[in-house]
């Protein structure tokens, strides 16, 4: 299992002498991180939260895909297999695509449970789109702007939200994450990337808003949903 120390040792040590990463160096770090976690998992929540400072939503998707190739649940905190493991060679691409698009339980091919599917989406939606090489100094063990990185790339885990019964700050963080993807229901943004994700997250937003009105039991029920 990977810890923050493992990430530092595997991916970051060679780049401690300068704050500004080149594009190539950022790519190397990305590959090392994916290599570390495609066949292992984060030891604790702290590690997954720390990872947020290096990941974009696309990089995270690559990590999920790589984990799936290794027959692991896509959520990097999980050591289980997806609920439904399919031989990727047993069907052609068209069939696969059809099944993914038409099967409401398609997530079970990628995650051990609906809960981890939710956790994963919740994590992904909060990641910054800013390229890693533009995140000056995030890779340094000692950086004068460490506190700023902690804020800029803060990720709240869905598990935390549930534990803390969705504090106001967490809700704000969720909502700002959704806005980033243009999912704000008031924004009128029609440039939607992924209808399924959008539907899913809009439902979340609706549920989270209920929580905001002091009804935390909704989130409790939510976890048991299947
Ligand atoms: Zn899982």
């Amino acid at each position: 299992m990977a810890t923050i120390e493992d990430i530092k040792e595997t991916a970051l040590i060679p780049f401690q002498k300068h704050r500004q990463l080149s594009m190539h160096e950022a790519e190397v770090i990305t590959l090392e991180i994916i290599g570390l976690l495609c066949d292992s998992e984060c030891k604790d929540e702290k590690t997954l939260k720390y990872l947020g400072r290096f990941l974009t939503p696309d990089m995270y998707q690559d990590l999920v895909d790589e984990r799936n190739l290794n027959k692991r649940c896509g959520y990097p905190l999980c050591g289980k297999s997806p609920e439904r493991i399919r031989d990727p060679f047993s069907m052609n691409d068209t069939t696969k695509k059809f099944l993914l698009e038409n099967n409401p339980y398609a997530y079970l091919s990628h995650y051990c449970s609906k809960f981890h599917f939710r956790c994963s989406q919740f994590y992904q939606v909060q990641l910054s789109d800013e390229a890693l090489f533009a995140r000056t100094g995030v890779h340094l063990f000692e950086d004068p702007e460490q506190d700023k990185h902690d804020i800029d790339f803060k990720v709240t885990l869905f598990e935390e939200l549930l534990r803390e019964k969705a504090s106001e700050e967490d809700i704000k963080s969720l909502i700002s994450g959704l806005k980033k993807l243009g999912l704000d229901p008031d924004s009128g943004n029609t440039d939607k990337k992924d209808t399924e994700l959008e539907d899913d997250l809009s439902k979340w937003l609706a549920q989270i808003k209920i929580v905001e009105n002091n009804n935390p039991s909704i989130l409790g029920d939510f976890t048991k949903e299947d």
Side-chain angles (χ1 to χ4, degrees):
M1 285 191 281
T3 60
I4 292 178
E5 284 313 309
D6 293 330
I7 294 170
K8 286 180 172 174
E9 272 172 37
T10 311
L12 307 178
I13 275 185
F15 309 108
Q16 291 306 308
K17 295 214 170 100
H18 49 292
R19 291 192 81 223
Q20 180 61 59
L21 293 170
S22 70
M23 253 155 97
H24 174 71
E25 288 167 336
E27 267 167 39
V28 172
I29 290 177
T30 303
L31 289 176
E32 292 289 357
I33 287 174
I34 291 177
L36 183 67
L37 286 167
C38 71
D39 206 15
S40 177
E41 70 262 12
C42 293
K43 184 162 183 274
D44 46 31
E45 295 183 357
K46 223 171 43 188
T47 308
L48 185 57
K49 285 163 73 78
Y50 177 72
L51 261 191
R53 62 173 64 196
F54 306 106
L55 297 173
T56 63
D58 285 348
M59 283 165 59
Y60 178 74
Q61 192 56 52
D62 287 346
L63 176 60
V64 170
D65 292 346
E66 289 296 321
R67 290 175 58 81
N68 287 165
L69 283 177
N70 287 322
K71 300 191 174 20
R72 284 176 171 271
C73 169
Y75 191 51
L77 257 181
C78 181
K80 292 190 211 147
S81 295
E83 172 74 7
R84 228 180 284 153
I85 294 178
R86 288 217 190 84
D87 178 356
F89 302 106
S90 68
M91 54 181 132
N92 63 36
D93 285 350
T94 316
T95 315
K96 231 189 296 179
K97 196 158 175 277
F98 177 84
L99 282 175
L100 279 175
E101 283 168 2
N102 294 281
N103 174 5
Y105 302 105
Y107 62 83
L108 288 177
S109 305
H110 306 282
Y111 297 94
C112 69
S113 58
K114 184 154 200 170
F115 181 59
H116 274 172
F117 169 59
R118 296 293 195 193
C119 290
S120 184
Q121 280 192 314
F122 185 66
Y123 183 81
Q124 186 172 26
V125 79
Q126 294 174 74
L127 295 171
S128 166
D129 276 317
E130 189 179 15
L132 176 53
F133 69 84
R135 304 180 190 183
T136 314
V138 291
H139 63 290
L140 296 177
F141 301 165
E142 304 285 340
D143 190 75
E145 292 190 9
Q146 212 56 254
D147 292 347
K148 188 175 173 295
H149 303 321
D150 286 343
I151 295 165
D152 287 352
F153 302 106
K154 183 184 178 210
V155 178
T156 301
L157 302 183
F158 195 49
E159 294 93 322
E160 293 179 289
L161 199 71
L162 296 176
R163 261 200 317 270
E164 293 160 17
K165 296 206 162 71
S167 76
E168 204 173 315
E169 192 199 342
D170 290 334
I171 291 165
K172 274 187 209 148
S173 141
L174 165 66
I175 291 171
S176 78
L178 293 173
K179 280 180 180 156
K180 239 186 271 168
L181 278 192
L183 300 176
D184 179 4
D186 303 324
S187 74
N189 187 342
T190 51
D191 183 24
K192 305 286 162 74
K193 275 189 214 161
D194 183 329
T195 320
E196 201 182 328
L197 183 67
E198 172 208 328
D199 284 354
D200 242 28
L201 292 174
S202 298
K203 270 185 231 157
W204 267 2
L205 184 59
Q207 302 221 20
I208 297 288
K209 274 189 174 161
I210 295 169
V211 175
E212 211 169 359
N213 295 334
N214 299 320
N215 190 354
S217 69
I218 297 293
L219 264 184
D221 295 344
F222 190 40
T223 52
K224 289 179 219 122
E225 184 187 2
D226 59 20

